[in-house]
Amino acid sequence: MSATPAITVSSLDYDRLAALLENCEHDHPVAGRLEAELERADVVDPQAMPSNVVTMNSSVRIRLGDGQEKQLTLVYPRDADSEQGRISVLAPIGAALLGLSTGQSMQWPTPSGHTELTVLEITYQPEAAGEYHR
């Protein structure tokens, strides 16, 4: 399995995340990794986004390397709420999720080492619901 599967990001998410990263502290532990992910992403118009790709504000069911399954929603930092399963794109797992497709797995460094996550299902994607300017 490749540690860096191909990823797809909408141009709207790309622009918003680039602006977020410009305002991030230089020593933020995840910002550099997120920036690297954006640089390697295939960027498409929101209307052309495949429905099986994790975008900002998507809700997904994932499996972690230890077999645990979680339902998460990928959000901007201001909307993060771990009790509600709303994970920031600037959290290690959040940055890893961005742009992955259903069935893809990725290994990602975390504060306690590395974790592997697999996208099992996308239960909601704004673009698939016709919400292009959320």
Side-chain angles (χ1 to χ4, degrees):
M1 170 189 58
S2 170
T4 54
I7 61 172
T8 306
V9 175
S10 82
S11 57
L12 177 63
D13 287 349
Y14 182 92
D15 291 344
R16 289 180 177 174
L17 291 170
L20 174 71
L21 289 170
E22 283 182 19
N23 294 318
C24 250
E25 294 183 25
H26 295 291
D27 61 347
H28 189 285
V30 180
R33 290 189 180 106
L34 178 59
E35 185 173 19
E37 289 295 282
L38 289 175
E39 287 175 4
R40 71 181 194 84
D42 180 22
V43 180
V44 300
D45 288 333
Q47 293 84 348
M49 178 59 68
S51 62
N52 69 332
V53 173
V54 180
T55 62
M56 292 304 300
N57 298 302
S58 289
S59 294
V60 299
R61 190 168 59 90
I62 66 166
R63 181 176 50 242
L64 298 174
D66 63 4
Q68 181 183 17
E69 290 188 14
K70 291 187 174 198
Q71 178 78 29
L72 301 172
T73 300
L74 183 62
V75 298
Y76 293 95
R78 69 180 176 273
D79 299 321
D81 182 344
S82 60
E83 290 182 14
Q84 298 293 319
R86 299 172 64 83
I87 190 159
S88 170
V89 70
L90 285 176
I93 290 177
L97 278 174
L98 181 69
L100 289 179
S101 300
T102 303
Q104 283 186 314
S105 296
M106 179 131 175
Q107 291 187 8
W108 198 260
T110 64
S112 60
H114 279 78
T115 191
E116 180 180 51
L117 62 90
T118 301
V119 177
L120 301 175
E121 176 184 17
I122 297 175
T123 57
Y124 172 76
Q125 185 208 60
E127 293 81 359
E131 297 176 18
Y132 301 114
H133 300 288
R134 71 236 179 267

